[in-house]
Amino acid sequence: MQQEIRFATFNVCNLAPPSVKLYDNLLPTTPQEYEAKLNWTAHQLDLLDADVIGFQEIFSQATLKEVLARTKRYREAYHLGFDPDPAALRLTPSVALVSRLPLSGAAQPMVDFPRGIELPVGSRDAARFTRAPLHAVVTVSPDVLVDVVVVHLKSRRPDYRTGDTGEDPALYALACLRSLIRRGTEAAALRVLLTEMGRANRRPRVVLGDFNDVADSVTTSIVLGAGTPLGDRLYDASQVQRRADHARHLGFSSVHEGHYSTIDHILVSEEFNGALPNAIGEVVDVLYLNDHLDLELPEASDHGQVLARIRLYDLSHGLMEAGV
């Protein structure tokens, strides 16, 4: 059995074919910019060297396949994902999962909220995720399957109604509130779905994604399930890592107007929290690939990548030696 499993989350920032119009305020990429982005993304994937990677902001799964073909480590990896709905009123990016470990069954998009959770009356897509999470089962060993969920929750970008602008402070505040309500509702829906998944399958869960908020925010805390029964909770990998040095911790995945924060997270269930009695492994450390954010490389993503190294236990002989 593989002794160490590496999970990562990677918001690639608008991965799409060249010359495609994605947003009104964003110019399509030129062929030259497209080539540079694909090459940088492929190089970054090889640096990560993760076994399982969750991706966000995929406008074209075919483009992601082209990235994988340019890597050294992922040409033969499994690739799961769904393209955005071409009939939708808005072109919305989707998520994807790439795994070098075998998969058990097909991937499933988690499109709809569970019963009893929905946005306020009159909201667009009131009972479904803006960007559907993706669920897949990864085979770590013949005896260990892991439920992996890739997510991308609603951003903080103001959700204006037609004709509204940020010049009016009340309209701006209400637009920000609508975004928060949507992100919070998505977080609540995800919390219910993850709880149901854990109770039904009784196996480890790992959530990879862009939460668009920090780990101790209300919305992320909802997903973590603070205050719920112990077996239902999830844990921020960066908080339970064995080699954490909080005095020197410099992890961040986003820089906005000079403010450094981490909004991309890896969450694990109790099976990978080494402080708990039911653990079958532990988070050794969490690493951040973020130098490109300070360098402001035009071809790079506007997010750092987060990598969690999980060391599995040999339950008959104690902790396995790391294969590093």
Side-chain angles (χ1 to χ4, degrees):
M1 181 172 70
Q2 186 169 329
Q3 297 171 333
E4 180 183 292
I5 311 299
R6 299 160 66 100
F7 292 91
T9 185
F10 190 165
N11 184 319
V12 293
C13 185
N14 300 332
L15 190 66
S19 306
V20 173
K21 184 71 172 178
L22 304 180
Y23 300 109
D24 291 339
N25 62 346
L26 183 67
L27 292 174
T29 58
T30 66
Q32 295 77 17
E33 291 169 336
Y34 175 78
E35 284 294 314
K37 184 172 184 64
L38 262 59
N39 288 334
W40 180 87
T41 306
H43 174 72
Q44 202 74 355
L45 282 175
D46 283 332
L47 283 178
L48 273 173
D49 192 19
D51 297 296
V52 181
I53 306 174
F55 293 87
Q56 300 83 38
E57 296 199 17
I58 305 295
F59 280 93
S60 166
Q61 298 292 338
T63 301
L64 178 55
K65 289 182 184 294
E66 188 169 348
V67 169
L68 299 177
R70 298 187 184 199
T71 66
K72 297 178 181 178
R73 303 181 187 274
Y74 297 95
R75 294 174 184 174
E76 305 300 325
Y78 299 95
H79 168 209
L80 305 174
F82 303 89
D83 279 323
D85 181 1
L89 295 177
R90 296 185 180 187
L91 184 60
T92 303
S94 59
V95 301
L97 183 140
V98 169
S99 176
R100 297 188 303 205
L101 299 176
L103 302 172
S104 176
Q108 298 295 328
M110 302 162 68
V111 177
D112 297 320
F113 293 165
R115 180 177 299 179
I117 295 182
E118 61 181 25
L119 287 155
V121 175
S123 299
R124 183 182 67 254
D125 295 329
R128 61 191 303 168
F129 290 94
T130 303
R131 294 170 285 239
L134 184 69
H135 171 220
V137 182
V138 174
T139 303
V140 173
S141 76
D143 300 321
V144 179
L145 301 179
V146 178
D147 286 299
V148 179
V149 178
V150 185
V151 305
H152 188 184
L153 299 186
K154 175 68 178 73
S155 72
R156 298 187 187 187
R157 186 177 295 111
D159 184 5
Y160 290 112
R161 292 176 175 171
T162 303
D164 289 353
T165 71
E167 296 177 0
D168 185 321
L171 295 179
Y172 171 76
L174 289 171
C176 291
L177 178 59
R178 280 192 288 272
S179 289
L180 175 59
I181 291 172
R182 181 171 290 275
R183 185 167 65 258
T185 306
E186 290 184 344
L190 185 60
R191 159 58 17 206
V192 173
L193 292 171
L194 289 167
T195 298
E196 292 175 348
M197 183 184 299
R199 292 178 179 179
N201 299 334
R202 299 294 179 183
R203 58 194 180 209
R205 288 158 290 158
V206 174
V207 184
L208 310 169
D210 177 357
F211 287 72
N212 269 307
D213 221 331
V214 295
D216 61 354
S217 68
V218 172
T219 55
T220 308
S221 295
I222 289 172
V223 181
L224 288 167
T228 61
L230 188 63
D232 294 338
R233 297 180 196 176
L234 296 172
Y235 302 87
D236 176 12
S238 70
Q239 294 299 313
V240 299
Q241 60 179 312
R242 189 166 62 86
R243 294 181 182 173
D245 183 351
H246 298 291
R248 301 178 59 192
H249 184 60
L250 299 176
F252 62 91
S253 70
S254 177
V255 181
H256 180 67
E257 295 181 349
H259 178 67
Y260 291 73
S261 63
T262 300
I263 61 176
D264 303 88
H265 307 293
I266 297 175
L267 312 183
V268 299
S269 57
E270 62 177 342
E271 291 87 352
F272 294 144
N273 182 346
L276 298 179
N278 291 331
I280 63 170
E282 64 180 0
V283 180
V284 177
D285 53 22
V286 176
L287 307 173
Y288 299 83
L289 277 66
N290 51 26
D291 287 346
H292 58 279
L293 298 179
D294 284 328
L295 294 173
E296 298 182 350
L297 302 175
E299 67 272 22
S301 171
D302 59 352
H303 285 244
Q305 292 76 60
V306 185
L307 172 71
R309 298 169 57 231
I310 295 177
R311 183 180 301 165
L312 302 176
Y313 297 155
D314 181 340
L315 299 181
S316 60
H317 297 94
L319 185 64
M320 283 187 167
E321 293 297 325
V324 192

